[in-house]
Amino acid sequence: MSYLKSTPNRDGFFGEYGGAMLPPPLEPHFKEICEAYDRISKSADFIAELRQIRKHFQGRPTPISYLKNLSDMCGGAQIYAKREDLNHTGAHKLNHCMGEGLLAKFMGKTKLMAETGAGQHGVALATAAAYFGLECEIHMGEIDIAKEAPNVTRMKLLGATVVPVGFGGRSLKEAVDSAFGSYIEQADTALFAIGSVVGPHPFPLIVRDFQHIVGVEAREQFFDMTGDLPDMVAACVGGGSNAMGLFSGFIDDESVSLHGVEAMGTSSKLGEHAATITFGEDGDIHGFRTMVLKDENGDPAPVHTVASGLDYPGVGPEHAHLYRTGKANYTSANDKEALNAFYKLSRHEGIIPALESAHAVAFAMREAPKNPGKSILINLSGRGDKDIDYVTETFGFGDDQ
């Protein structure tokens, strides 16, 4: 049996990681979600409607671009990008948000709610809510609201209520805490549309399934372009949805190495990075078992990265499993490398990437010279419109690039 068909198990475990550790009031609601998803995911009508949405609303398939100028500049391997920045709303997030919206409609829910870090998931979920005629409530840390102002404006224009989160680190972890607290009071009428391959079962499975389209398209497109599969595929990893989307298309191909790129922030000191797999240990967070960055008390540690969407002290349980079993490799890029990649891709390829995606670009730029004759396919998971004000006001225009 293929990896995707056998993993996770029926209880939502990827090896040792995953599961659902829920407060008793939420147990029946997650059971309802599991049962509804089991039914709907095998429904020809659901699949047909989702395909219609992807083609005629999202603009899929997104292309692969050969980054010739960047490849020539770096030397060595040839670099390609799966262009999820060209998906409607500007990132991969809409792939699972439209699926979750369709699931909510099937379940008779009237509201979608979620957390967001960089705001891409919030924008995508607000878009899905508008499309399906549902209410929308998005919880977002105050630090991220300040950094990602354009996305906050987009969410409000789309009709969403944006709830600022001002406690703790005021970023993604606290946004999840706040959203879960609000959801407990509204679970009868709302669906908590988790924004990555994290959270209690079945969400790591649901989000991977909806993001699988990225890997399916990329595998076929790359082979059509080159007559072969890539030697390496890479994607940034915070929670890890864009990476699982790309990885899932190649996970049974032994000739293709999978690389997740975490955020090293400003240093390896705890609190100054978000490299969970690199420095974390086994633990529980937000209702599931995974790897977690912990402070001296064993609680989730504060994190930092220039990219708000990678600002999480945990990681999807499937990534922890892939790391422990050696099926995927995990490394990191720091803020300086990500910013350099942001400017380089903008200046030399005419593509302004999201700061999250720039971590994968930085990996390709670093690895290309070491791998002559090889090919690297990265997931360009989002566009950088949301980041341009923050980057230029804080770091300038990269005039030395």
Side-chain angles (χ1 to χ4, degrees), residues 258-274:
L258 311 177
H259 300 265
V261 188
E262 298 190 300
M264 187 53 76
T266 53
S267 84
S268 59
K269 182 180 176 183
L270 192 66
E272 296 182 358
H273 63 81

Side-chain angles (χ1 to χ4, degrees), residues 189-214:
T189 57
L191 177 71
F192 190 169
I194 291 176
S196 191
V197 286
V198 298
H201 178 65
F203 281 96
L205 169 65
I206 288 175
V207 174
R208 183 193 75 186
D209 283 357
F210 288 141
Q211 289 295 343
H212 182 47
I213 187 63
V214 177

Side-chain angles (χ1 to χ4, degrees), residues 138-143 145 152 156 161-167 170 174-175 178:
I138 304 295
H139 293 245
M140 189 173 189
E142 289 179 346
I143 287 175
I145 285 174
V152 177
K156 291 179 177 178
T161 299
V162 179
V163 180
V165 179
F167 60 85
R170 299 181 295 138
E174 289 74 26
S178 177

Side-chain angles (χ1 to χ4, degrees), residues 242-303:
N242 92 91
M244 280 317 309
L246 184 63
F247 288 3
S248 67
F250 301 92
I251 204 158
D252 288 320
D253 294 303
E254 292 186 6
S255 66
V256 182
S257 60
L258 311 177
H259 300 265
V261 188
E262 298 190 300
M264 187 53 76
T266 53
S267 84
S268 59
K269 182 180 176 183
L270 192 66
E272 296 182 358
H273 63 81
T276 303
I277 289 178
T278 306
F279 295 109
E281 57 189 280
D282 291 358
D284 302 332
I285 188 172
H286 295 135
F288 66 103
R289 183 82 173 162
T290 186
M291 296 179 72
V292 184
L293 289 169
K294 297 180 182 180
D295 64 17
E296 64 275 9
N297 300 316
D299 297 321
V303 290

Side-chain angles (χ1 to χ4, degrees), residues 337-349:
E337 290 172 313
L339 284 163
N340 178 53
F342 177 93
Y343 291 126
K344 285 285 198 301
L345 196 69
S346 300
R347 287 291 174 93
H348 301 287
E349 292 288 354

